[in-house]
Amino acid sequence: MKTYSKNFGSSSNGSHEGEDLRRLLLDGLRDLYWAETRLTKSLPTMAQAATSKGLTRAFESHLSETEEHVNRIERVFKLLDEPAQGKKCAAMIGLLEEADEITKSTKDGSLVRDCGLILAAQKVEHYEIASYGTLRTIAEILGYEEVADILQMTLNEEEDADSKLTQLAQSHINVAAAQE
Ligand SMILES: [Fe+2]
């Protein structure tokens, strides 16, 4: 298997930009690896808390995608010839705490809860979209084409998940919540 291990020398001006960029990529991947793994634990709870079948299904299908996202990051670590290691991601902890708070502060079976869960889930998606987008670009700069392709695949799915949530919000939930 082709791997992209470290092979940077310092440039003539003594800078180590390639190496520093690779470190930034690895840091970002560790953060995402932890965040995605943590998300697989929260999505079943969010699916259960949701009121509408459509939202429950959206969370369930994103759970199977998220499991695949975890596998893909493991593949990326292999390509980079680095151990698959997570680094606790404070941002994801905060975002998932928000989801929890929303569930606790809204009525079971209410559409307001669904609106709140969509709000929380879209914040998670946007965090992931920002992370995957930038890490993909860094991989491109470093010439790690296969890594960039894998990250792009996940980025597409995160964007689709985000649009699906927007559609759900627009189709019925927001309207119904306003009537409650
Ligand atoms: Fe994901």
Side-chain angles (χ1 to χ4, degrees):
M1 191 181 79
K2 177 180 174 184
T3 55
Y4 306 99
S5 34
K6 358 175 197 201
N7 52 354
F8 295 105
S10 50
S11 62
S12 51
N13 61 7
S15 82
H16 299 266
E17 273 183 21
E19 214 177 313
D20 290 348
L21 210 49
R22 180 185 167 96
R23 201 169 308 126
L24 195 64
L25 173 67
L26 284 170
D27 257 8
L29 287 169
R30 289 179 185 129
D31 180 283
L32 264 183
Y33 186 50
W34 193 94
E36 293 276 30
T37 306
R38 179 68 185 70
L39 190 56
T40 61
K41 293 179 181 122
S42 289
L43 278 168
T45 317
M46 289 163 78
Q48 225 174 16
T51 299
S52 69
K53 278 207 177 71
L55 187 56
T56 298
R57 270 198 298 270
F59 286 146
E60 283 169 352
S61 82
H62 198 52
L63 171 63
S64 26
E65 281 178 344
T66 302
E67 283 161 350
E68 183 52 26
H69 298 171
V70 172
N71 294 334
R72 282 187 197 141
I73 298 178
E74 284 170 358
R75 234 156 57 220
V76 165
F77 278 122
K78 270 212 183 85
L79 281 166
L80 295 172
D81 203 20
E82 299 278 352
Q85 244 169 31
K87 193 183 84 188
K88 198 170 179 180
C89 168
M92 185 57 86
I93 294 176
L95 292 171
L96 293 173
E97 267 173 17
E98 264 188 45
D100 234 30
E101 283 294 308
I102 284 167
T103 302
K104 282 184 196 136
S105 63
T106 50
K107 272 192 243 138
D108 209 20
S110 69
L111 287 165
V112 175
R113 171 172 299 171
D114 277 12
C115 288
L117 285 173
I118 289 175
L119 179 67
Q122 284 195 295
K123 288 186 189 179
V124 169
E125 287 313 312
H126 286 219
Y127 177 81
E128 292 188 302
I129 288 167
S131 307
Y132 279 108
T134 307
L135 294 181
R136 183 246 9 239
T137 303
I138 293 174
E140 275 170 1
I141 294 169
L142 288 165
Y144 301 163
E145 284 162 38
E146 261 183 272
V147 171
D149 289 348
I150 293 173
L151 296 176
Q152 181 67 54
M153 226 186 295
T154 299
L155 177 61
N156 294 341
E157 288 175 7
E158 305 292 11
E159 283 172 348
D160 287 349
D162 183 51
S163 316
K164 208 196 281 173
L165 289 168
T166 300
Q167 279 165 23
L168 275 170
Q170 283 169 348
S171 64
H172 61 281
I173 297 174
N174 282 342
V175 178
Q179 289 166 351
E180 267 188 19

